[in-house]
Amino acid sequence: MDTDVVVESGHYGRLVVARLKPNEDLIESLENKCLEHGIGRAIIRGVVGSLIDASLERGYGNTTCEQPISGPGVEILSVFGEIDLRDRGSPNTVLSGVVADTKGQMFAGRFRRGANLSFITIEASLQEWISD
């Protein structure tokens, strides 16, 4: 696999603690929270809560496959990644994580945009990244 590595210097800025209400998409809602606060790039510091159902992707390019996880009540165990809104017409947000279904089985992958809706609430902390 050919991967470009970019090394960047910068510093952390503001911290935003956000609450997502029921039926709000994980990715789209966190992007909107950044927009509300004028944040172009942010990293995920922590996320707790649950999803109605979850939809994760694994693999790259032509080998990508979708992993649907049935709920309701899929628990979020871990979320990490970056929200990048510098190109307003095409956000470059990538969030990955681990979730557990109602039977306790765990699944990992990239969260699919528009397919991971908050069940009751989700709390997230985002920290602004400012490039030098």
Side-chain angles (χ1 to χ4, degrees), residues 81-98:
E82 178 180 355
I83 296 169
D84 186 350
L85 302 173
R86 292 173 296 173
D87 182 356
R88 299 281 185 207
S90 179
N92 189 23
T93 297
V94 178
L95 300 182
S96 299
V98 179

Side-chain angles (χ1 to χ4, degrees), residues 45-113:
R45 286 290 187 189
V47 177
V48 295
S50 59
L51 303 164
I52 297 171
D53 298 303
S55 182
L56 304 175
E57 291 179 341
R58 292 178 295 166
Y60 292 95
N62 294 334
T63 62
T64 300
C65 66
E66 178 186 349
Q67 174 69 59
I69 299 102
S70 296
V74 175
E75 290 296 322
I76 296 172
L77 302 178
S78 173
V79 177
F80 54 92
E82 178 180 355
I83 296 169
D84 186 350
L85 302 173
R86 292 173 296 173
D87 182 356
R88 299 281 185 207
S90 179
N92 189 23
T93 297
V94 178
L95 300 182
S96 299
V98 179
V99 298
D101 69 8
T102 57
K103 297 174 186 170
Q105 296 177 355
M106 292 186 284
F107 303 87
R110 290 179 307 280
F111 290 95
R112 293 184 60 237
R113 176 181 295 279

